[in-house]
Amino acid sequence: EDKVVQSPLSLVVHEGDTVTLNCSYEVTNFRSLLWYKQEKKAPTFLFMLTSSGIEKKSGRLSSILDKKELFSILNITATQTGDSAIYLCAVVGTSGSRLTFGEGTQLTVNP
Amino acid sequence: DSGVTQTPKHLITATGQRVTLRCSPRSGDLSVYWYQQSLDQGLQFLIQYYNGEERAKGNILERFSAQQFPDLHSELNLSSLELGDSALYFCASSVSGATEAFFGQGTRLTVV
């Protein structure tokens, strides 16, 4: 069974800090790893990393995938209060038939 | 706005009742997923459909069922509801099983 473990489970920082969120996984026939941000309701898509795209960047957010060590990190630089959310990591394995999510990291950015 | 539409947004019903949650995927997406998110729990995969056919099943209770119609919208049916079924139910869609999935705003179900 596919498994995703995220750490830390929660994190409190001050505006301007840089944070690193971790995601380790076990999956049969890895296809992709995805990061989502969940604020009040629906998770919103951030990045998808695959064997052919192991590093992604968008503004202050960046993510890398280490397929050998089976983990990914999400970096957020110069954090803002609007970055406060739950960050979810998910993997897609065999047949691309589901996203298996981790428990998420609750990030709180204080002014 | 992800382009995935879920209705209703909120639903309050009594134990033992049956409800139907509806999802319209993004235009062009063939794959629909249903997830349950209970308080303080992660997203639990329920079921996936691809172009009208069931593709994968997660920890979906026998009291729950789903289908995807020819126009690609999907419905999740929950019957004999129990208090523990109270949760946020999300629908997500993707072009295929291997591409990023986009989530609807969810249906908050409260069973009283």
Side-chain angles (χ1 to χ4, degrees):
Chain A
E1 188 174 322
D2 300 345
K3 186 178 176 184
V4 176
V5 177
Q6 292 186 243
S7 65
L9 292 180
S10 69
L11 190 54
V12 180
V13 300
H14 289 102
E15 268 192 316
D17 288 351
T18 293
V19 298
T20 299
L21 311 182
N22 303 292
C23 173
S24 63
Y25 62 90
E26 298 172 18
V27 63
T28 303
N29 296 328
F30 173 88
R31 297 189 73 170
S32 58
L33 183 144
L34 298 92
W35 284 97
Y36 287 84
K37 177 182 181 182
Q38 186 174 25
E39 295 176 85
K40 291 179 183 175
K41 262 207 169 174
T44 53
F45 172 76
L46 294 175
F47 297 119
M48 184 171 80
L49 301 152
T50 65
S51 300
S52 58
I54 60 172
E55 189 168 348
K56 292 285 176 76
K57 184 175 170 62
S58 176
R60 297 178 294 104
L61 276 68
S62 63
S63 181
I64 62 170
L65 172 69
D66 188 325
K67 276 199 68 183
K68 184 179 176 185
E69 300 297 331
L70 306 183
F71 77 88
S72 174
I73 61 171
L74 176 68
N75 273 323
I76 309 175
T77 59
T79 51
Q80 303 170 357
T81 55
D83 295 326
S84 296
I86 297 173
Y87 289 83
L88 297 163
C89 173
V91 292
V92 179
T94 303
S95 77
S97 60
R98 69 179 73 181
L99 291 96
T100 299
F101 282 87
E103 292 296 312
T105 294
Q106 171 76 62
L107 174 65
T108 302
V109 181
N110 290 324
Chain B
D1 182 6
S2 67
V4 180
T5 304
Q6 287 188 249
T7 56
K9 291 183 182 177
H10 302 276
L11 199 51
I12 301 176
T13 189
T15 54
Q17 295 298 303
R18 173 189 170 94
V19 297
T20 297
L21 312 184
R22 183 189 169 97
C23 170
S24 294
R26 292 188 320 157
S27 177
D29 285 358
L30 299 178
S31 193
V32 169
Y33 310 79
W34 286 97
Y35 284 85
Q36 179 192 56
Q37 188 174 42
S38 303
L39 199 62
D40 296 332
Q41 286 194 15
L43 285 157
Q44 302 298 316
F45 172 73
L46 295 177
I47 198 163
Q48 181 206 7
Y49 281 84
Y50 180 81
N51 203 20
E53 294 189 4
E54 183 183 302
R55 172 68 69 88
K57 223 170 192 177
N59 297 324
I60 187 168
L61 300 171
E62 283 191 15
R63 301 183 284 109
F64 296 1
S65 65
Q67 54 183 326
Q68 186 179 29
F69 295 86
D71 67 353
L72 301 178
H73 91 271
S74 178
E75 292 180 355
L76 179 67
N77 301 298
L78 314 175
S79 61
S80 302
L81 285 166
E82 302 174 359
L83 295 177
D85 297 326
S86 295
L88 258 175
Y89 290 85
F90 286 108
C91 168
S93 74
S94 65
V95 172
S96 71
T99 57
E100 59 268 38
F102 294 86
F103 282 76
Q105 289 299 306
T107 293
R108 181 170 294 282
L109 173 67
T110 303
V111 182
V112 298

